Amino acid sequence: MKRSFNYTRKPAWIRMSLLTNRDFNTIKKRVGERSLTTVCEEARCPNIHECWGEHRTATFMILGDTCTRRCRFCAVKTGIPGEVDLAEPLRVARTISEMGAAHAVITMVNRDDLDDGGAAVMAATVRKVHELSPECSVEVLSSDLMGDKKSLEIMMDAEPEIMSHNLETVRRLTPGVRSRSDYDRSLGFLRTVKEIDPQKLTKSSLMLGLGEEKHEVLQTMDDLRAVGVEIINLGQYLQPGRTNLPVVRYWEPEEFDELKSAALHLGFLHCESGPMVRSSYHAGDQYQLIRQRLLRERA
C-alpha cells in the first residue's frame, strides 16, 4: 500500500495560470483525437494553461503513458507498459506541424522492458517532425536508457537540436527520489552525448524543495558543467498527489535569482530559474536565444 502525505500549503508566490482559450482547447482536442500523451497532462504540470493557451507549445510524451519506474516525485502511471505503437511518431509529427510549432519538446516514459529503452521510436519521432516541419527544432528529453551507449547513438543519429536528461535532484537525495536511477549514470549519459557529438547542446533540470541544501545544489551545477551541460532549468517541486513526496520547503524567488547568477557564473549558456520553472518551460525561447548567441560567436 502506498504511503499518503498531506499537501504543504503553498506560499503567495506560487501562482498558476488558468487561461483556457481557443489555442488551449485546440491543442487539447488534437491530443485527444490522436490518442497522444503529453507530460503536461500526465505529470500535472502547473504551466499547462500558459504553455498551451499563450505559447501554443506542448511537451509530447511517447511510448505510452505507463512508466516502468516509480519515482516518488512523479505523477505518471507506473506498471507494465503496452505494446510499442509504431504509428505514434507520425501522429506526433502531424500534430506538431498543425500547431505550427517552431520548437518541439518530446519526452518519454522509462521503457526498461525494451532492449533499446525506446530509442528507436524516439529517433523515428524526431525524423518525422523534421520531415513534416523542416523549420521546427526538436528537443529530446530522454530517459537514461540504463546508460547504454548504443541506444543513445540510435537516438542521436536522428539529429535533435537539443539532448536533455534531467538529474532532478542532488546526489544525496537521488536514491529516495528517483526509482532505479543513479546520479552518476545520469551524469554519464550527458557526458556521452558530448563524446558522440561535442557540438550538441545538452540540458538538464533540477527540482528544489525536497530537502536539498544550497551547497548541494551548487555542487550539482558544478557536476553538470563538468560533463559539458550548457543549459539548466531550476524550479520548485510541487507535490502532484498525496502518494508523492511532500514539499520539504519552498525556495523563495530571490533564492532562485541567486542560483541563476551562480549558474551563469559557472559558465552555463542559459539558466531558467524560478518557482514555476519546469524542464520544458520556455524551451523554444531558450533555444532561439542560445542559437543566436552561438551564431554571433562563430561569425
Side-chain angles (χ1 to χ4, degrees):
M1 182 176 179
K2 291 182 179 179
R3 183 180 175 186
S4 179
F5 299 96
N6 290 327
Y7 289 102
T8 307
R9 185 185 179 99
K10 296 181 179 63
W13 58 81
I14 300 292
R15 289 286 180 267
M16 304 178 193
S17 169
L18 296 177
L19 176 67
T20 302
N21 60 13
R22 184 175 181 178
D23 286 332
F24 177 92
N25 291 326
T26 297
I27 292 175
K28 187 173 181 64
K29 180 180 179 182
R30 285 174 176 160
V31 167
E33 288 176 344
R34 292 203 167 126
S35 300
L36 299 176
T37 305
T38 66
V39 74
C40 319
E41 296 172 298
E42 297 301 314
R44 303 174 192 172
C45 179
N47 300 318
I48 184 171
H49 289 82
E50 177 185 352
C51 293
W52 288 20
E54 294 181 36
H55 299 283
R56 296 176 65 243
T57 60
T59 299
F60 292 91
M61 188 168 72
I62 64 170
L63 294 159
D65 63 356
T66 304
C67 186
T68 54
R69 304 186 193 180
R70 191 186 297 276
C71 295
R72 298 181 69 201
F73 67 89
C74 186
V76 175
K77 183 168 59 176
T78 302
I80 301 174
E83 294 293 321
V84 172
D85 181 358
L86 297 180
E88 185 177 47
L90 179 58
R91 295 202 309 276
V92 171
R94 281 178 173 168
T95 303
I96 289 170
S97 176
E98 290 170 1
M99 287 169 57
H103 185 80
V105 182
I106 306 170
T107 189
M108 62 198 296
V109 290
N110 285 284
R111 290 297 302 258
D112 298 326
D113 58 313
L114 302 176
D115 290 340
D116 70 349
V121 176
M122 177 63 84
T125 306
V126 174
R127 289 192 179 96
K128 278 296 178 185
V129 173
H130 281 153
E131 177 186 332
L132 298 186
S133 305
E135 302 301 316
C136 181
S137 50
V138 179
E139 179 175 326
V140 166
L141 177 52
S142 177
S143 69
D144 63 16
L145 302 175
M146 294 302 290
D148 184 64
K149 184 177 180 180
K150 183 177 179 180
S151 298
L152 180 53
E153 287 173 339
I154 290 171
M155 191 179 290
M156 289 185 63
D157 191 55
E159 298 186 351
E161 278 71 18
I162 296 179
M163 282 296 300
S164 180
H165 173 65
N166 290 344
L167 206 52
E168 305 291 10
T169 190
V170 300
R171 181 186 293 277
R172 175 176 59 87
L173 297 179
T174 294
V177 172
R178 301 174 64 204
S179 166
R180 299 186 66 195
S181 300
D182 181 84
Y183 186 89
D184 288 307
R185 187 167 68 217
S186 288
L187 288 175
F189 176 99
L190 293 160
R191 181 189 300 110
T192 304
V193 171
K194 287 296 189 181
E195 291 172 355
I196 295 171
D197 182 357
Q199 300 303 312
K200 185 64 63 181
L201 286 170
T202 52
K203 175 180 174 180
S204 193
S205 299
L206 298 177
M207 303 173 294
L208 305 185
L210 290 164
E212 67 290 323
E213 299 292 338
K214 183 176 180 179
H215 71 88
E216 293 178 296
V217 178
L218 295 174
Q219 180 60 59
T220 303
M221 292 196 293
D222 267 335
D223 293 342
L224 288 169
R225 283 299 298 137
V227 297
V229 173
E230 296 102 339
I231 310 167
I232 186 169
N233 279 14
L234 305 169
Q236 172 68 51
Y237 168 69
L238 298 176
Q239 182 183 359
R242 291 192 180 277
T243 59
N244 298 108
L245 289 170
V247 176
V248 175
R249 86 170 178 100
Y250 289 97
W251 288 59
E252 298 191 6
E254 294 79 10
E255 293 178 289
F256 280 103
D257 291 341
E258 291 171 3
L259 289 173
K260 179 174 182 176
S261 295
L264 297 177
H265 180 73
L266 284 171
F268 286 96
L269 293 180
H270 189 89
C271 174
E272 201 83 35
S273 181
M276 301 304 291
V277 170
R278 297 296 178 266
S279 55
S280 303
Y281 193 63
H282 295 171
D285 294 337
Q286 282 183 357
Y287 177 66
Q288 288 304 319
L289 286 171
I290 293 170
R291 183 170 176 270
Q292 290 167 11
R293 174 177 170 176
L294 292 175
L295 286 174
R296 287 195 302 269
E297 291 177 354
R298 294 169 183 171

